[in-house]
Amino acid sequence: MTLDNSDRIRETVTRYLDLIANGTSADVAALYAPDATLEDPVGTEPKHGREAIEKFYAALDAVRNTTELLTIRVSGNTAAFHFRVVTDTGEQTITIEPIDVMTFDDQARITSMRAIWSPTDMVVA
Amino acid sequence: MTLDNSDRIRETVTRYLDLIANGTSADVAALYAPDATLEDPVGTEPKHGREAIEKFYAALDAVRNTTELLTIRVSGNTAAFHFRVVTDTGEQTITIEPIDVMTFDDQARITSMRAIWSPTDMVVA
């Protein structure tokens, strides 16, 4: 049971990174539970609910992203993962490698997301 | 101000890993705020307060550890860091590479620690 849920959590994270690269903001928001929260980066005002979350990801729809999972750890209903996202805006390439912490419900939907990174971690080329 | 606090948080994490390797359980507990919480691994019953936290680290006093910081991200009052701890029990060597998430007060004392790892992440040699 614990192991199964851990596997499903890993699947959701894999799908999340795939959709950040290849999906729409609506696709990404659909991975979240309806009443989920999102705080990205940590210290900013959290977003509440899928509608606000979809709006947060709307910037995705205008750019091209590639993503790569670097490390993931899962414990109970929580995952922490270090990943790389490279954003091609057409004018420049921005690389960020945050550590995200997510919690999940029994259906492995994201109930909260907190992204830990700072502007000093961004590489612009 | 934000930048200063971020630097002090990084210092506390560096000292934390140094004390896991070279300090006593009391040294490590002293990095925590008096009313801090510790959940290691996430999903287990959290410990509350410095006394319970010092007891949690008591196992340190019987073994030899080396530690290495692999990645750290700091955002607001929160740090997430991926690190390696190698424990030499005298009979075997146990390697774990958790991702820990810590929050801090204004003095960069740890107010909460959550360690995300699972037994499947352990390597015993």
Side-chain angles (χ1 to χ4, degrees), chain B:
Chain B
M1 164 69 194
T2 302
L3 198 67
D4 287 3
N5 208 39
S6 164
D7 289 341
R8 288 161 64 209
I9 286 173
R10 283 166 199 269
E11 268 179 31
T12 299
V13 170
T14 301
R15 206 171 324 141
Y16 174 77
L17 293 181
D18 182 46
L19 291 174
I20 294 288
N22 304 309
T24 65
S25 51
D27 295 332
V28 176
L31 295 178
Y32 281 81
D35 54 349
T37 58
L38 178 156
E39 188 181 351
D40 183 355
V42 164
T44 58
E45 187 66 21
K47 318 279 184 275
H48 290 272
R50 228 187 238 158
E51 192 178 326
I53 287 171
E54 180 173 337
K55 200 177 291 180
F56 172 82
Y57 287 105
L60 284 183
D61 300 331
V63 295
R64 289 170 56 168
N65 287 310
T66 56
T67 55
E68 184 183 349
L69 182 61
L70 302 173
T71 310
I72 181 167
R73 293 291 179 268
V74 178
S75 182
N77 70 347
T78 300
F81 56 101
H82 183 213
F83 67 104
R84 178 181 303 132
V85 55
V86 181
T87 302
D88 178 358
T89 66
E91 290 172 359
Q92 53 188 12
T93 304
I94 301 164
T95 303
I96 315 181
E97 297 181 355
I99 295 178
D100 276 14
V101 180
M102 289 179 172
T103 56
F104 300 83
D105 65 15
D106 290 343
Q107 300 163 256
R109 295 183 306 183
I110 305 162
T111 50
S112 70
M113 182 276 233
R114 304 180 80 222
I116 301 151
W117 64 280
S118 72
T120 56
D121 297 321
M122 288 175 54
V123 178
V124 180

Side-chain angles (χ1 to χ4, degrees), chain A residues 17-34:
Chain A
L17 292 181
D18 182 45
L19 291 175
I20 294 289
N22 304 310
T24 66
S25 52
D27 294 332
V28 176
L31 295 178
Y32 281 80

